[in-house]
Amino acid sequence: MGPFSETLNILHAPNATGKSTLFEALRRALLDSHRVKSKELEAVRPWGRVLSPSVTVEFTHGGETYRITKQFLDKPMALLERKEKGRFVRLFEGHAADEEVQRIFTKNPSAKGLTRFQNWGLAQILWAPQGDLSYTQLTGDVIEDIQSFLDVQVTSGSDEGIEKRIEELYHRYFTPGGKLKSGKDAPKLVSLIQQLEGAEERYKKAVEEQAQYEDLIKKVEELRAKRSQYKQNAEEANKALETARLKVEGYKKLVSEKMQRKAKLEALDAKYLEMRQRIDTFESVKTELMEVRETLSKYEEDLPLREKELKDRQQKLEAAKEKLEKVRDRREEISKLHEKLGNVQRFLRNYEKLRELSSKVKMARKIQGNLEGLKKKISTLVAPDAHVLKELYKTRREYQNALSYGGPSVTVLDFIPELEGAIEIKRGTRTGEFRVIPGETITIKGIPDIEVYYKGVARIKISGLSLSTRDNEKKLREAEKKIQKLTKPFGTDDMEVLEKRREAFERISREIFETETKLKSLLEGFSSLGAMEKELLKAKKTTESLLKRYPEWSKNPPNVEALKMEVANFNRLFSEELGEAEAEWELAQTAFSAAKSALAGLASKIEELNKRRKNLEVKYSEMVETWGSFDNMMKTFKKLALSLETARSSLEEIEERLVSYGEDPTQIIAKLEDQLRLADELSQKALEEEKNMEGMMAQLASMGTYTQLAAIEEEKAKHEEEIRQEQIQVDAVSLLYETLVQVRSETLSGLVGPVERIATKTLHRIAGGKLNQVKLGESFEPSHIHPEVSETPVTLDNVSGGEREQIYLATRLALAEIIAKKERQLVVLDDVLTFTDAGRFARILSVLEEAAQKLQLLVLTCHPERYQGLSEAQFIDLEAIRFSA
Amino acid sequence: MRFLHTADWQLGMKAVHVGDAAETVRETRLKTVEKLLKVAKDKKADFILVAGDVFEDNAVSRLLVQRVADILSKSKIPLYIIPGNHDPLVPGSVWEHPAWEKCKSVRLLTEDAPVEVPGGILYPCPIKEKFSKENPTAWIPRETGEDKIRIGLAHGTVEGIQQDEVAFPIPKDAASKFGLDYLALGHWHSTAIYEDKEGVPRMAYSGTHETTKFGERDSGNVLLVEIAEKGATPVITQVRISELFWRTVEYEIKTPGYLPELRGRIEDFDYSERILLNVKLSGLFYAEEVAEIKRIEEILSSRFLYGRLDLSDLIPAPEDKNWIESLPAGIIRETGERLKGICESRKGSQPSPDIAARALMELYMLVMGISK
């Protein structure tokens, strides 16, 4: 098919009509080795036929026309021809043909197959396989091509080698993650650090052992000093012991002598005491007997005096008793005075009651009389009660109604008297006698007739006309009858009179009630006036009875307060006299008892002393009989006292000599022996400990702790120095590498900028400014976009599928534009932009049209209608070609 | 009277900053003791005075003690030894080792008591603790009236030496004060001779027989002392016996050309197998001389007993355009420029200028194909 337009070509066909096969054929022809064998290529072989896939492509490059023919799988071949003077001339064959075509199309021929995207060369950018505009990192050769197209010298060939060596140097020490390597590939520094750590451990132990050795030296020195001190102590104790033992000899002799003298003294002392006791007993009995006799004699003299005293006391007691009785007899006078006081109080209370009751009875009798008058008055008053009055008023209203309903005519007589007197109305609406006063008109009504009798003057009869109906008249008559019936008991039907009577009745009733209330109040506490009168009578009788007893009270009423005072004075005097008399009696009684008791005691004592005297006299006789006379006994006693004194002096003399020894020398020996034993024990213990320490020290000394420590310190220092050197080397390599990476990164970011700007501009044309800015990685792959609404860039995972393919298209076209600066390049898009909506697709068409000015675009699609807007494009119907073939 | 005065052998001492050479340093100290005995024999010394610190510590290996005793027992010349503050006479000390019982040539002096020596009397001042502020020579009687040469043997600090806390202080006039013809001292590792008021040298530190560390001044000697008679001026001869040489080279590079010169110098060192060399360079570093570094390192590690090259204070010379211009234009050169910028930043800033210098050197070597 062909020839293709140098600008825009739309190759269209329905599905399964060979679009992808065409893409594959182009790719294999222009980019791949003819000897390649892959599953993808096997898939191109026609089904069920043993045919080898082959392809021939004619193309222009550098003003020359070329033709490449390749056959794959069976009998593979490649032939590159160039058109010279109108005919194709063989240029390269086989592998050379592959390489030359690849060089033309990818710049960097690769011997490797096209299965891997990395081997596609510039086609990584220019060729988009079916439905996939995306690509990952571009390979180094492509990046370099782009850089070269951008006219920027980033690295030269030699640079690459140096960079590579720097990287190798760096990776000798560090992992790709930037950590120091470990394990078998670890740099020397790591093993040195490990060795140093091991040495540090051993160093600690060696330092401890050395310190232990030094410590043991000090301890042994201390123990030796201690042992020396113990030895000295033991020697001193030994010397003291010898001296003490000599002392003990003399001391023991003295102690023995002392014991003998002490025994003699104790024997004499016992005899002395016995003799002394006998003498004391003798003297005691003798003295006691003498005392008993004296006392007895004295008691016997006292006996008559005691008897007389008892008699006196008895007389005084009787006199006191008599006086007390007399005082007690005055108690009756007190009773009488109290009775009189009670009567006075009763008289005065009764007198007051009498006065009050008399007044009340008098008043009550008067009220009682009034009440009876009122009751009599009301009993004579004929007045209607409230019910009758109410009924009467009702009947009168019925009567008046009957009249107003056309009842009989009312006749009215105005009676104007000229003289005072009385008239009797015989017939009329109101009947009865009425007083008349001159000049005051009395209006008399009759239905219809009026009859008035004015006594002594005239009888006046007036007849009126009756115009009532029969029924009304009946009601009128009935009312009239009822009025008459109701007023009959009261002798008048004059309502005013009846009202007044009623008022009078009510007034008298009220007065009766008030009078009864007053009477009841006056009789408070009494059931009736009679009861009050009875009480008054009783009071009168009581008064009379008291006046009969105390007639003087009728003239002079008694003074109760004076009498009360009199009673109180009498009581006080009586109490005082009684207390005094009782005290006197008690005193006399006590004295009498004491005298009686004293007399009895004296008698008893005399009896007892007599007994004691007899006993002592018997005892004294027995002592003389047993021990001899008292004088002889005294002589023996004096001799004994002298012997005792001599023995005591002898003992004191030897005790003084013992005191000069101070502490008991035998005790001192025991103490010294203890000290000596202790010093020996301590010395022995210190020696054992010393030997033990020396053993430990010898063991450490044999180890040569210092020598060991020195060796380890040297080893440590050596490692530290080596580590220092290695660390400098490692740090230097790290710094070199990091600086290189930083410089490279900064340089590359300077290259990416122009591509980003072109891609961003294209994207703005397609999708508007929403996505804002396309950000590329170091390998020119779209890595982020920086939307207007976001403060930070976002990855492509955050945009829609349509936008993602638009970003990739924009980037590919930007890169293709840069690559095509020197020579028009072929861009192949196989059924891409499947996620793009119609609006943006239309804008993409404009972009493609514009791009086609610099690039040869080959678009494979099954939707040619979507590209109809491309007026300049050449549409190639694959299906039509197929049918025509 | 002729004797050899020595001290501070510090046998068994650690040598922490000389890496693998530590064991050689220790062994050499022992061999130098043998050499010392030979010197004594050659100089016809009547006896040898050892003024303390024979051992670095009482807890050194007992095998070492045995070896030392074995070496000393071969001497026909008697050795009078006092314990020092490093190997004081304490329980479990090296001096309690049974090896000394059979070592007849050694007279271990453990008491403050005069000892007869050929031609005179020796007043030893043994040390019995690690630290004390007591003057160890205080016990020496002033003048006994005898007509013998009086020699003191002590371990301590002569007053006037700057120290935070003076251990075992010895008066500056101790020799004349106690009427000693000579006071043999130990404790300080550098040789020092003290004159009395009349300008007569009567007191001296022999110093250690083998240098113990870098920067230790005037060590590695023994003193041969000759005293004709009591009161005569001692004739003191300093004899160098040290087998090892501890050298330090510190240089600030300001112009190109020093590294080749340094390389040439160290290539020309004699007895380099006995030299411990500490090279510390600062200043400027020129790109063209990078290869010299490698060469110097090679020489140091292959020829010398111990060699250390400290370049941490070197920075790439700012005026040296080769550091950058030698690098290919583009990323690599830019990387180089940035590293060089860090090198020229203030010391102590991050990233560290010395690390950046090393990184730049690595880059330069990679580009220039200089293998490490």
Side-chain angles (χ1 to χ4, degrees), chain A residues 694-732:
Chain A
E694 281 176 348
M696 288 163 70
M697 200 162 61
Q699 197 178 349
L700 284 170
S702 71
M703 287 164 63
T705 52
Y706 177 81
T707 303
Q708 286 182 0
L709 181 64
I712 297 167
E713 269 191 64
E714 285 164 2
E715 183 188 341
K716 214 159 71 75
K718 186 182 158 202
H719 290 323
E720 282 166 354
E721 175 59 19
E722 286 173 341
I723 286 169
R724 193 184 69 80
Q725 294 288 350
E726 277 301 308
Q727 191 66 57
I728 289 171
Q729 173 68 9
V730 167
D731 290 347

Side-chain angles (χ1 to χ4, degrees), chain A residues 578-698:
Chain A
L578 184 63
E580 199 178 317
E582 281 175 346
E584 273 180 30
W585 180 78
E586 279 172 9
L587 194 66
Q589 180 72 29
T590 306
F592 173 73
S593 296
K596 194 176 175 182
S597 177
L599 183 61
L602 191 62
S604 170
K605 279 179 183 173
I606 289 168
E607 191 183 347
E608 190 192 340
L609 283 170
N610 271 324
K611 278 181 189 170
R612 273 182 67 195
R613 183 179 52 79
K614 281 176 188 169
N615 286 340
L616 287 167
E617 282 168 355
V618 170
K619 198 174 179 183
Y620 190 79
S621 302
E622 284 172 358
M623 281 161 62
V624 170
E625 202 172 308
T626 311
W627 297 334
S629 73
F630 183 74
D631 293 341
N632 287 341
M633 200 183 289
M634 282 305 289
K635 281 176 189 170
T636 311
F637 178 70
K638 280 175 184 170
K639 281 181 188 172
L640 195 57
L642 277 172
S643 304
L644 186 65
E645 194 56 35
T646 310
R648 184 167 288 126
S649 299
S650 170
L651 182 62
E652 281 171 1
E653 181 266 328
I654 208 157
E655 277 178 341
E656 276 173 18
R657 284 167 67 192
L658 279 169
V659 165
S660 69
Y661 278 86
E663 197 181 350
D664 183 352
T666 53
Q667 298 286 329
I668 292 170
I669 283 181
K671 280 182 187 170
L672 287 169
E673 282 172 345
D674 282 347
Q675 281 179 13
L676 188 61
R677 192 170 53 252
L678 183 66
D680 285 341
E681 279 174 9
L682 288 171
S683 177
Q684 189 59 32
K685 198 176 167 191
L687 181 64
E688 282 169 17
E689 209 174 337
E690 188 185 317
K691 293 291 170 201
N692 189 26
M693 295 279 175
E694 281 176 348
M696 288 163 70
M697 200 162 61

